[in-house]
């Protein structure tokens, strides 16, 4: 999250995720990707509070890096405000009570030799190797949805389609 982008159309999509997941497993933003001086404004805009130690028994985590998710096994690519790694998402999925991890992912490595759909599948495949499940929401603001179980993935997908998101917006492994 970057102050210059606060309030853009991507934030409207984030607010929609919060509204859809509110009763099922409320969203909490990982503070690693939201600078402290933006916490209040970010939460006001998206309605997603920044994660603290007091989490409910069922919750979802939200990663909001500036750019997105690093391709797996790229040793020269670090994690920071701009990018999150698959390893971080795997760690988050193992936190007790986590129902879903949603990650903004507008990363597109042009020099990788892979079109964007294949890059998405590489990331989902890496999660699958870890025993987890995922799909992409494909739009101008793409997001990876990852889950600790297939049942939770189907519950979340049902919530999203019930909210009116067409199945054609989802990219599966």
């Amino acid at each position: 999250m970057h102050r210059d982008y606060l309030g853009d159309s991507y934030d409207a999509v984030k607010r929609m995720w919060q509204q859809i997941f509110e009763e099922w497993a409320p969203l909490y933003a990982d503070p690693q990707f939201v600078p402290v001086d933006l916490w209040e404004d970010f939460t006001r805009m998206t309605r997603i509070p920044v994660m603290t130690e007091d989490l409910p028994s069922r919750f979802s985590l939200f990663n909001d890096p500036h750019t997105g998710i690093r391709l797996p096994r790229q040793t020269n690519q670090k994690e920071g405000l701009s990018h999150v790694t698959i390893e971080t998402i795997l760690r988050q999925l193992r936190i007790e009570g986590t129902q879903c991890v949603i990650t903004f992912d507008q990363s597109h490595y042009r020099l990788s030799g892979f079109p964007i759909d294949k890059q998405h599948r590489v990331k989902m495949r890496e999660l699958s190797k870890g025993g987890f499940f995922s799909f992409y929401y494909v739009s101008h603001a793409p997001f990876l949805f990852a889950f600790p179980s297939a049942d939770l993935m189907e519950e979340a997908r049902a919530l999203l389609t019930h909210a009116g998101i067409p199945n054609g917006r989802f990219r599966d492994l």
Side-chain angles (χ1 to χ4, degrees):
M1 169 51 45
H2 193 280
R3 181 167 295 284
D4 292 345
Y5 303 118
L6 187 66
D8 64 13
S9 61
Y10 293 179
D11 285 341
V13 176
K14 296 167 196 175
R15 189 173 187 153
M16 179 178 68
W17 301 148
Q18 183 278 331
Q19 291 171 338
I20 292 171
F21 279 52
E22 188 172 26
E23 291 182 27
W24 180 70
L27 276 174
Y28 290 86
D30 187 317
Q32 174 177 328
F33 303 106
V34 183
V36 174
D37 65 318
L38 286 181
W39 285 12
E40 186 178 325
D41 293 336
F42 174 84
T43 299
R44 185 179 319 111
M45 177 63 218
T46 65
R47 293 191 181 162
I48 302 171
V50 176
M51 179 174 59
T52 63
E53 294 178 17
D54 279 340
L55 292 172
S57 60
R58 288 175 53 105
F59 59 89
S60 297
L61 294 176
F62 183 74
N63 295 317
D64 198 11
H66 295 331
T67 306
I69 304 168
R70 292 279 188 207
L71 281 173
R73 302 177 188 182
Q74 298 289 327
T75 57
N76 63 338
Q77 298 177 353
K78 303 291 184 229
E79 183 171 84
L81 285 174
S82 291
H83 291 88
V84 64
T85 63
I86 292 291
E87 290 77 22
T88 292
I89 296 169
L90 289 166
R91 179 183 47 76
Q92 292 171 326
L93 287 164
R94 292 182 183 110
I95 297 171
E96 187 175 340
T98 301
Q99 307 299 294
C100 177
V101 175
I102 303 172
T103 305
F104 173 69
D105 187 20
Q106 198 170 15
S107 294
H108 182 189
Y109 297 94
R110 288 164 185 82
L111 301 177
S112 69
F114 295 114
I116 193 69
D117 62 322
K118 288 187 179 180
Q119 291 181 42
H120 286 171
R121 287 188 175 93
V122 164
K123 295 170 188 179
M124 289 188 289
R125 205 170 0 263
E126 197 68 21
L127 291 169
S128 180
K129 287 179 190 176
F132 299 103
F133 303 83
S134 61
F135 60 79
Y136 266 88
Y137 167 76
V138 181
S139 177
H140 75 288
F143 292 85
L144 172 69
F145 287 72
F147 306 88
S149 76
D151 290 342
L152 289 170
M153 181 174 70
E154 292 310 316
E155 287 177 28
R157 195 166 183 155
L159 288 170
L160 295 167
T161 56
H162 180 74
I165 297 174
N167 276 318
R169 286 286 177 190
F170 300 120
R171 175 171 291 143
D172 295 299
L173 187 58

